[in-house]
Amino acid sequence: MDQSLYSQFFCLSLYSKDYPIKPSTLYHILTGKRTASILFKAHTYQLTKFFSIFPNLKREQYNQMIQKFIARGWIKANGVSEEFYLSEQGKAEVEVYFSEHFYPQRLNQLLNGKATKEFWKKIVFLTQVLSELRYQNKRYLPLDKEWKNQLWVKNWLKNRPLDKQELALSFGKEWIQVLANLDSFSAEIVVSQLTGHEKFGKTITQLASMYKIEALEIAFLLQNVTIQLMDQIVRKKEIYPLFYLIYQECIGDPYSSLSQSTKLTAYYLDKGLSIENIALKRNLKANTISEHVIELAIIFSDFDVSNVIPDTDYQRLITVFQSNEKITYEELEKEMPHVPFSWYRLIQVERSRADE
């Protein structure tokens, strides 16, 4: 991510007038440092939807941007701490800028950012292959050079019962239907990205130049349109059977957003194993498994915290939190010395869902 005007105002928009944010923590959220503490902060700051949105952001570049915000009075220090609030001036600057620019409201990077990217990549590649197939052209450069993705296309085509020409026609008709339900600008951007027979899709940089807006704004627009497409396909899957098959492959696994290690922990939890038994089975520390559990509770709003805390302790914890919602772990230890920090954090996550 370069230090473009759009990226600066986007980062400024992540600060709040209602609660202070620590710039170093925000940096770890934006770059996707996947620890239980950072994930919890992303949850607290209501920024899980932007988790890992700038994985290549350089720390020095980010710090320079924050210093600019401070110098201009756009963010104000919370007393002597390292946390900052968005100032009235900063809020006004954000509102003016985004009154004329797109703001990515619908993203959910933590839950399905990877799956959304995969869906778009597959559907664009398959569009090229089916377009060339429609014209019986076998001499073209595939968009995707990775063998595993080329193999996916071959297997996907092989497993469809339709004749290849019929398949290409049906896929094209689904594109026409799905585009008809987008606004004209979104549809234009999508079509501009597609590659097919004697047509080459434009890059994000080329689109940014064409529309005279920054590349990051175009990238966010495309992500937003992809989410719109996916929502539409799910709502009317009977109209988009081919697109829906691809959607299912990308989104079908509820744990697709997780690391392999956390995914395995989720699998064992589903089997009814306790945190201690999972740790023994996997030859890992119980604290590591507990961090996985906190991650699951943050990502999945229907995760049942009471399943991983003994019932008596769970009920007592609920009672304690009801009497003191802002209780610290140090204060809790005085009342319940045996309670691990992970239980404290899980109850915090569970109780914060009511405010969402």
Side-chain angles (χ1 to χ4, degrees):
M1 184 194 83
D2 60 4
Q3 247 187 330
S4 64
L5 198 61
Y6 185 92
S7 65
Q8 290 180 55
F9 277 106
F10 173 74
C11 288
L12 179 62
S13 76
L14 305 182
Y15 284 87
S16 172
K17 285 181 57 55
D18 300 323
Y19 48 84
I21 290 177
K22 196 172 182 179
S24 59
T25 302
L26 179 58
Y27 174 79
H28 292 311
I29 292 169
L30 293 174
T31 54
K33 185 177 181 181
R34 211 173 181 105
T35 63
S37 60
I38 295 299
L39 285 169
F40 179 72
K41 281 297 185 182
H43 175 76
T44 304
Y45 295 159
Q46 300 172 34
L47 293 177
T48 55
K49 60 184 176 181
F50 298 130
F51 185 83
S52 192
I53 202 162
F54 299 139
N56 300 316
L57 177 60
K58 299 292 186 290
R59 187 62 179 264
E60 183 181 356
Q61 181 186 35
Y62 173 81
N63 288 342
Q64 288 173 356
M65 180 172 59
I66 298 304
Q67 289 306 313
K68 185 184 293 186
F69 294 165
I70 295 170
R72 293 183 177 179
W74 292 352
I75 57 175
K76 298 285 188 182
N78 179 29
V80 294
S81 75
E82 297 177 358
E83 297 178 320
F84 289 82
Y85 285 97
L86 183 68
S87 69
E88 282 293 346
Q89 185 186 351
K91 181 173 182 287
E93 293 285 346
V94 167
E95 287 174 350
V96 168
Y97 185 81
F98 285 108
S99 68
E100 298 178 351
H101 295 270
F102 172 77
Y103 192 81
Q105 296 280 9
R106 301 182 64 182
L107 303 190
N108 193 337
Q109 287 293 109
L110 184 58
L111 182 61
N112 56 28
K114 188 162 60 175
T116 302
K117 184 178 178 181
E118 183 187 356
F119 174 80
W120 177 250
K121 191 175 181 179
K122 283 184 172 179
I123 210 165
V124 168
F125 188 22
L126 196 55
T127 297
Q128 181 199 24
V129 172
L130 287 170
S131 175
E132 297 291 4
L133 192 152
R134 181 81 179 87
Y135 288 90
Q136 300 180 344
N137 179 31
K138 296 181 180 180
R139 299 176 64 84
Y140 63 92
L141 290 173
L143 276 174
D144 201 317
K145 305 297 191 297
E146 284 192 48
W147 171 244
K148 67 172 184 177
N149 295 329
Q150 293 183 7
L151 187 61
W152 172 82
V153 168
K154 288 178 182 179
N155 289 333
W156 194 90
L157 293 172
K158 187 170 64 177
N159 292 330
R160 304 284 76 78
L162 292 174
D163 169 81
K164 296 297 184 285
Q165 288 296 320
E166 289 180 33
L167 183 64
L169 279 169
S170 296
F171 197 78
K173 285 177 182 176
E174 289 189 23
W175 258 127
I176 291 168
Q177 287 173 307
V178 82
L179 289 168
N181 287 290
L182 296 176
D183 65 84
S184 58
F185 181 61
S186 297
E188 191 176 314
I189 285 181
V190 169
V191 172
S192 296
Q193 278 260 293
L194 299 179
T195 291
H197 185 68
E198 297 183 348
K199 178 189 180 299
F200 298 95
K202 289 182 168 56
T203 65
I204 284 176
T205 303
Q206 289 171 328
L207 287 172
S209 177
M210 180 192 305
Y211 293 109
K212 294 181 171 53
I213 56 180
E214 292 185 22
L216 181 59
E217 186 171 354
I218 285 287
F220 280 163
L221 275 162
L222 273 167
Q223 280 182 279
N224 187 72
V225 174
T226 304
I227 292 166
Q228 281 182 268
L229 291 176
M230 292 163 72
D231 289 347
Q232 188 178 325
I233 289 160
V234 173
R235 285 198 313 272
K236 300 181 178 179
K237 53 181 177 285
E238 67 282 355
I239 301 175
Y240 310 108
L242 299 175
F243 280 20
Y244 187 66
L245 282 170
I246 302 168
Y247 171 88
Q248 281 184 305
E249 285 191 32
C250 300
I251 308 288
D253 178 6
Y255 299 139
S256 61
S257 62
L258 305 175
S259 67
Q260 286 302 315
S261 188
T262 305
K263 190 181 292 188
L264 191 54
T265 294
Y267 169 80
Y268 284 128
L269 284 172
D270 287 345
K271 294 289 184 182
L273 273 68
S274 67
I275 289 173
E276 292 72 21
N277 286 337
I278 295 171
L280 285 171
K281 193 173 185 67
R282 299 191 57 195
N283 196 27
L284 294 172
K285 293 179 180 178
N287 282 346
T288 302
I289 304 302
S290 293
E291 290 224 341
H292 292 168
V293 172
I294 293 169
E295 181 176 348
L296 292 168
I298 290 169
I299 294 175
F300 301 106
S301 59
D302 59 350
F303 183 89
D304 192 346
V305 168
S306 66
N307 285 339
V308 292
I309 301 175
D311 187 58
T312 303
D313 291 311
Y314 176 77
Q315 296 302 332
R316 177 83 192 283
L317 282 165
I318 293 299
T319 302
V320 170
F321 268 82
Q322 284 174 341
S323 62
N324 182 4
E325 198 67 48
K326 294 185 178 180
I327 189 169
T328 65
Y329 180 59
E330 289 71 23
E331 292 169 335
L332 178 64
E333 277 188 304
K334 292 175 184 176
E335 293 194 43
M336 302 177 69
H338 67 288
V339 168
F341 179 77
S342 60
W343 292 4
Y344 168 76
R345 185 66 90 206
L346 286 168
I347 297 297
Q348 280 187 311
V349 172
E350 181 182 64
R351 294 186 69 77
S352 69
R353 291 172 186 164
D355 300 325
E356 293 180 347

